[in-house]
Amino acid sequence: MRPVSIGANPTANTLTTLYTVPKGYYAKIVSLIATNQSASNKHVTFDWVDSSASATYSFVYQYAVTSKSLNDFIASYILLEEDDILKVTTESASTFAVAVTLEIEGNQRA
């Protein structure tokens, strides 16, 4: 297991890729944080693109984050497989900082 933290200041109202799981690996999301630096409440969406199922899941959808505060969204964990993608979108006219911490491991599946 190799821990990795990734941070970003996503452009408002723009779908932004945070992480793509490399071939032969999987990644466990253990922490997902969004900080609203805007002067008013703004929302954030986190998407999981499940490549093997050709599906996208908005597991945090337009969640309102209070002005000048942060939210930690993971109560347990989410497992991403190879080629899966974690993306974020923030509300227009917002300023956010986001961070994700993952545990990366070689794929042990048969």
Side-chain angles (χ1 to χ4, degrees):
M1 184 264 315
R2 178 177 60 112
V4 174
S5 290
I6 299 154
N9 293 311
T11 301
N13 202 30
T14 302
L15 188 60
T16 302
T17 297
L18 293 175
Y19 187 75
T20 302
V21 181
K23 293 245 186 261
Y25 291 85
Y26 63 91
K28 183 167 92 172
I29 302 173
V30 294
S31 177
L32 187 62
I33 298 169
T35 302
N36 178 4
Q37 300 168 344
S38 309
S40 60
N41 297 351
K42 296 290 182 176
H43 63 71
V44 62
T45 298
F46 287 96
D47 293 322
W48 163 26
V49 179
D50 184 346
S51 295
S52 65
S54 298
T56 299
Y57 307 100
S58 296
F59 61 91
V60 174
Y61 181 72
Q62 293 187 353
Y63 187 91
V65 180
T66 307
S67 173
K68 311 293 185 194
S69 69
L70 71 88
N71 249 61
D72 188 349
F73 293 99
I74 301 296
S76 68
Y77 66 86
I78 297 171
L79 187 66
L80 307 178
E81 296 178 330
E82 65 180 24
D83 296 325
D84 285 359
I85 305 167
L86 176 63
K87 296 184 177 191
V88 65
T89 308
T90 60
E91 188 174 353
S92 59
S94 67
T95 303
F96 271 85
V98 298
V100 59
T101 298
L102 307 115
E103 292 177 353
I104 313 293
E105 291 201 31
N107 193 343
Q108 303 300 313
R109 294 180 148 199

